C-alpha cells in the first residue's frame, strides 16, 4: 500500500479499533454489534419457532428434551460504513490546518478500514467535490492519501449538502468557519436517521494565539473582512474566538454529534485515540486523570 | 553657496524635520496578513498607530527630506560663493574743477580701491575707470562734480563686484563742494545700504583776479565807493555791477551774460537809531552789526517763500543773507547765464561804516560769483550727515537689490522635482 508520508502515522494507529457508538443496522458481517440477532456460535437466547423460520435453526436437542421447538438466537455483528467529509476551503489552508485534516482523515480511515468497515471520502473544495465511495477493499487508504494530497485549498464550500451522501458514520473534518449552522442541522438529521456523526473542529495555534505584530487581519474567504489586529484588539479577539468555539461545541454536542476540537500542533495519533474512544470511556479516563 | 533669504531655507529645514517626526509617529495601515478568524477581531479604524525609534520607509523619508531641503534652498535665493577679498571697495573719485590736486586725489583713489575694487570718476558724468586710466594725467576740466550721478554709478559697480565678497565699502574722494549736491543726491544716497567713507581732498579756489565792481549810483558821494577798492582781488574772474537805483532793462540785459552779477542794492532810508544784525552766507560768512534799515520792498518775498506744489524749485531765489531774526536780507535770482542779487540792507549814508572790515567782508560775500564762490564746501556736520556711519554695505543686500542669478535656484528646483517624482513612485509602489 503506497501511503507515502503517512506510513509512520499508520504504524502508530495500527491495532486501534473504532467501535460504533450504538448498535448498527444489520448488514454484512463485521466488527460492530448489530441491532439484529443472527446465527453466530455465541448463544444469546431462545425464541419459540414461528412459521416461516428456517428449520435448520431449530435447537434439536432442546426439542428432544422438551418436545417444543425453539430457535437458537445469537448476537449479530455488522460492518459500519464510514464517510469522511473533508473541508478544503481557503480557510483550511491556513497554517497547519490542512495537513492535520489530511493526516486525521488517513489515520481514522485506516482505523475504520482495519475493522473491515467500508470507508469513503468526500473532499469539498471550491472547484468540485471529489468523492470516493465507501469501499472495504485493500488500497482504499492509499487512494485516500492520493486524493487528499492532490487537493488545493481555496474558495468557499458548503458542507451541509454533502452529509446526505454520507454512509452511516459521517465524519466531518472542518474549521466550522463556513456553513456551521446548516452543517449542524444536517448532522442532526443524519443522527435521527440512525447514523453516527462526528465533527472534528480543526483550529490552528496561530488562530488561538496570533503573533504579536500589528497586522491587518484579512479573511481569505471574504476580502471585505479586513480588521487591524493590534495590541488593543488582540485580547478582545481571543475572548470572542473562545466564546464562539465554546458555543459551537455546546450546540453540536447538544444535537448528539461527537464533537472534538483538534489543534494543528497536537500529535495526530493521540487525536485519533481520543476520537475513537467512546464518550463514556473518555469521561472515565478523564475522571481517573 | 550662501543664501540671500535664509529664512526660506530655515522653513525647508523645519519641513524636513517635520517629515522625520511624522515618519516616527505616523499612523499608517499595518501590513495585510491572512487570518481565517478575522471576523472575530473587533471592528475599528483600519489605520493603526505605528511608532518606532527608527523612521519607517526610510527611502521615502529620504526623498521627502531631500525635496524639502532643495525647495527651501531654491526659495532662499542662493548665490554661489567665489574666492576673493571679503571686503571690496568702490571709490567715487571727484575729478571736477572743485578738486585742487586731481593727481593726488587719483592716487588716493587707487590706494583705497585695492584689489578687486572699482573706481568711478565723476564730474558732470560718472564713468568707471581702470587703474591705469586713473593714474594717467587728465586734462583739467571745468565741469562741476555731480554727486548723485556718481552715487548711482557707484551702486551699479558695487552690485557688480559684490558677488563673492562679504561686504562692499563706498569711499568718496572729494572735497564735497556745495555744488556737488543737487536734488537727486538725497535719493541716491538713500539707495546705498551702508555708510560712506569720506576722504576729503583740498578744494580748488579761484585765483583769478577780478576787476573792481562797477558802481552805478545816483549819489554824488556814495559811501560804497571807498569800500570797493578794499575787496579781495582774488575773488574770481566775474564781473559785478552794483546798482543803487531801480535796475533798468539795460542792466538786466547785461546781467544775462555768463560770469556777470548784477547787485541791486538801493540807497537806504533813514538809518534807525538802534543797531541791527545781518549775516551773509558766502564762502566766508560775514556778520554786520550796525544801525541798518530793512528795505522790505527790495526782496521778493514770494520768490523766497517755500515752494508750493507745482512750482519749479529752480525758479526760487537763493537766500544769501538773513537778518538776525531770520528775515531774508538778500537773495539771488538766476537770469539766464548770469544772476541778479537784491540786497535789502539800508546802509547809512553818513559815518564810516563802509570803511570798516565787517562791511567789507559783508560786501565781499554779496559780490561772489553766481551760485556762490567756487570751492565752497559743505560743513563737517553736513558731510557727516551725508556719509552716515562708516560701516560697509552687506554684499547680500546689494545682490538682493540687483538682479540675482536664478540659475542655481533653477537647478535646485529641478532636483526637488526629481525628488518629488521619486517620492510619488515609491509611494505608489508601496500602496500597490
Amino acid at each position: 500500500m503506497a501511503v507515502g508520508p503517512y506510513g509512520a502515522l499508520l504504524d502508530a494507529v495500527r491495532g486501534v479499533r473504532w467501535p460504533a457508538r450504538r448498535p448498527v443496522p444489520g448488514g454484512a458481517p463485521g466488527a460492530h454489534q448489530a441491532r439484529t440477532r443472527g446465527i453466530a456460535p455465541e448463544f444469546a437466547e431462545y425464541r419459540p419457532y414461528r412459521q416461516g423460520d428456517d428449520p435448520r435453526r431449530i435447537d434439536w436437542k432442546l426439542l428432544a428434551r422438551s418436545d417444543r421447538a425453539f430457535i437458537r438466537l445469537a448476537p449479530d455483528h455488522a460492518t459500519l460504513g464510514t464517510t469522511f467529509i473533508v473541508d478544503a476551503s481557503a480557510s483550511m489552508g491556513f497554517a497547519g490546518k490542512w495537513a492535520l485534516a489530511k493526516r486525521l482523515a488517513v489515520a481514522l480511515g485506516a482505523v475504520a478500514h482495519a475493522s473491515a468497515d467500508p470507508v469513503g471520502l468526500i473532499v469539498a473544495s471550491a472547484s468540485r467535490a471529489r468523492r470516493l465511495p465507501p469501499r472495504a477493499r485493500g488500497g482504499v487508504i492509499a487512494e485516500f492519501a492520493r486524493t487528499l494530497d492532490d487537493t488545493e485549498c481555496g474558495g468557499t464550500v458548503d458542507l451541509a449538502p454533502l452529509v446526505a451522501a454520507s454512509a452511516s458514520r459521517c465524519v466531518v473534518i472542518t474549521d466550522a468557519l463556513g456553513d456551521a449552522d446548516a452543517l449542524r442541522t444536517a448532522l442532526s438529521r443524519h443522527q435521527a436517521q440512525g447514523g453516527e456523526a462526528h465533527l472534528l473542529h480543526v483550529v490552528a495555534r496561530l488562530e488561538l494565539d496570533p503573533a504579536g505584530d500589528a497586522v491587518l487581519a484579512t479573511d481569505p474567504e471574504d476580502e471585505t473582512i479586513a480588521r487591524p489586529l493590534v495590541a488593543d484588539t488582540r485580547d478582545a479577539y481571543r475572548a470572542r474566538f473562545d466564546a464562539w468555539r465554546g458555543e459551537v461545541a455546546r450546540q453540536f454536542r447538544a444535537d448528539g454529534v461527537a464533537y472534538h476540537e483538534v489543534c494543528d500542533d497536537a500529535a495526530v495519533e493521540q487525536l485519533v485515540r481520543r476520537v475513537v474512544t467512546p464518550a463514556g470511556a473518555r469521561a472515565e479516563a478523564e475522571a481517573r486523570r | 553657496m550662501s543664501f540671500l533669504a535664509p529664512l526660506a531655507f530655515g522653513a525647508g529645514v523645519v519641513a524636513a524635520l517635520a517629515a522625520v517626526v511624522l515618519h516616527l509617529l505616523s499612523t499608517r495601515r499595518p501590513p495585510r496578513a491572512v487570518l481565517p478568524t478575522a471576523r472575530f477581531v473587533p471592528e475599528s479604524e483600519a489605520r493603526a498607530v505605528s511608532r518606532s525609534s527608527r523612521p519607517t520607509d526610510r527611502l521615502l523619508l529620504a526623498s521627502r527630506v531631500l525635496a524639502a531641503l532643495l525647495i527651501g534652498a531654491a526659495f532662499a535665493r542662493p548665490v554661489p560663493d567665489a574666492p576673493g577679498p571679503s571686503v571690496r571697495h568702490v571709490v567715487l573719485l571727484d575729478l571736477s574743477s572743485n578738486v585742487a590736486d586731481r593727481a593726488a586725489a587719483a592716487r588716493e583713489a587707487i590706494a583705497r580701491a585695492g584689489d578687486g575694487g572699482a573706481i568711478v570718476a565723476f564730474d558732470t558724468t560718472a564713468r568707471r575707470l581702470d587703474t591705469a586710466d586713473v593714474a594717467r594725467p587728465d586734462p583739467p576740466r571745468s565741469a562741476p562734480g555731480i554727486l548723485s550721478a556718481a552715487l548711482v554709478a557707484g551702486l551699479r559697480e558695487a552690485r557688480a563686484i559684490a558677488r563673492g565678497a562679504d561686504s562692499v565699502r563706498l569711499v568718496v574722494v572729494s572735497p564735497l563742494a556745495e555744488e556737488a549736491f543737487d536734488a537727486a543726491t538725497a535719493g541716491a544716497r538713500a539707495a546705498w545700504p551702508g555708510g560712506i567713507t569720506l576722504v576729503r581732498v583740498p578744494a580748488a579756489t579761484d585765483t583769478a583776479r577780478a576787476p573792481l565792481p562797477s558802481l552805478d549810483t545816483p549819489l554824488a558821494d556814495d559811501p560804497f565807493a571807498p569800500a570797493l577798492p578794499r575787496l579781495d582781488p582774488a575773488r574770481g574772474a566775474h564781473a559785478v555791477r552794483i546798482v543803487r537805483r531801480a535796475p533798468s532793462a539795460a542792466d538786466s540785459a547785461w546781467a544775462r551774460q555768463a560770469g556777470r552779477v548784477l547787485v541791486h542794492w538801493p540807497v537806504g532810508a533813514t538809518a534807525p537809531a538802534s543797531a541791527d544784525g545781518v549775516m551773509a552766507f558766502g564762502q566766508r560768512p560775514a556778520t554786520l552789526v550796525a544801525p541798518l534799515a530793512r528795505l522790505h520792498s527790495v526782496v521778493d518775498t514770494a520768490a523766497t517763500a517755500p515752494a508750493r506744489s507745482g512750482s519749479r524749485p529752480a525758479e526760487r531765489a537763493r537766500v544769501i543773507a538773513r537778518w538776525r531774526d531770520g528775515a531774508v536780507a538778500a537773495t539771488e535770482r538766476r537770469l539766464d547765464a548770469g544772476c541778479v542779487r537784491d540786497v535789502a540792507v539800508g546802509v547809512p549814508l553818513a559815518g564810516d561804516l563802509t570803511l570798516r572790515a565787517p562791511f567789507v567782508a559783508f560786501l565781499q560775500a554779496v559780490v561772489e560769483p553766481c551760485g556762490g564762490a567756487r570751492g565752497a564746501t559743505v560743513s563737517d556736520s553736513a558731510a557727516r550727515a551725508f556719509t552716515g556711519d562708516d560701516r560697509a554695505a552687506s554684499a547680500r543686500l546689494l545682490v538682493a537689490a540687483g538682479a540675482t542669478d536664478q540659475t542655481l535656484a533653477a537647478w535646485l528646483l529641478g532636483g526637488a522635482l526629481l525628488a518629488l517624482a521619486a517620492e510619488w513612485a515609491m509611494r505608489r509602489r508601496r500602496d500597490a
Side-chain angles (χ1 to χ4, degrees), chain A residues 50-61:
Chain A
R50 290 196 296 259
Q51 188 175 1
D53 287 340
D54 186 354
R56 289 177 296 182
R57 296 174 62 188
I58 295 174
D59 191 335
W60 296 106
K61 292 179 181 177

Side-chain angles (χ1 to χ4, degrees), chain A residues 228-282:
Chain A
L229 182 62
V230 295
D232 296 343
T233 60
R234 187 165 285 108
D235 289 342
Y237 159 78
R238 288 197 193 98
R240 286 186 178 193
F241 189 41
D242 291 346
W244 175 79
R245 288 185 358 258
E247 182 64 15
V248 168
R250 189 191 65 76
Q251 289 178 342
F252 275 95
R253 282 170 181 154
D255 287 345
V257 178
Y259 173 90
H260 306 279
E261 182 179 291
V262 291
C263 187
D264 64 347
D265 61 351
V268 178
E269 53 272 22
Q270 291 181 4
L271 295 176
V272 168
R273 284 183 166 80
R274 205 176 79 193
V275 170
V276 303
T277 304
R282 189 165 59 246

Side-chain angles (χ1 to χ4, degrees), chain B residues 158-226:
Chain B
R159 286 172 182 163
I161 67 171
R163 299 183 198 285
D166 290 338
S167 56
V168 178
R169 188 181 299 279
L170 184 64
V171 180
V172 175
V173 180
S174 169
L176 281 194
E178 285 182 342
E179 64 180 2
F181 291 80
D182 58 11
T185 304
R189 171 64 184 88
W192 176 256
I196 294 176
T197 302
L198 178 62
V199 180
R200 297 192 86 161
V201 294
T205 55
D206 280 330
T207 55
R209 303 180 72 83
L212 280 180
S214 62
L215 182 63
D216 184 358
T217 175
L219 301 178
D221 189 14
D222 195 307
F224 280 27

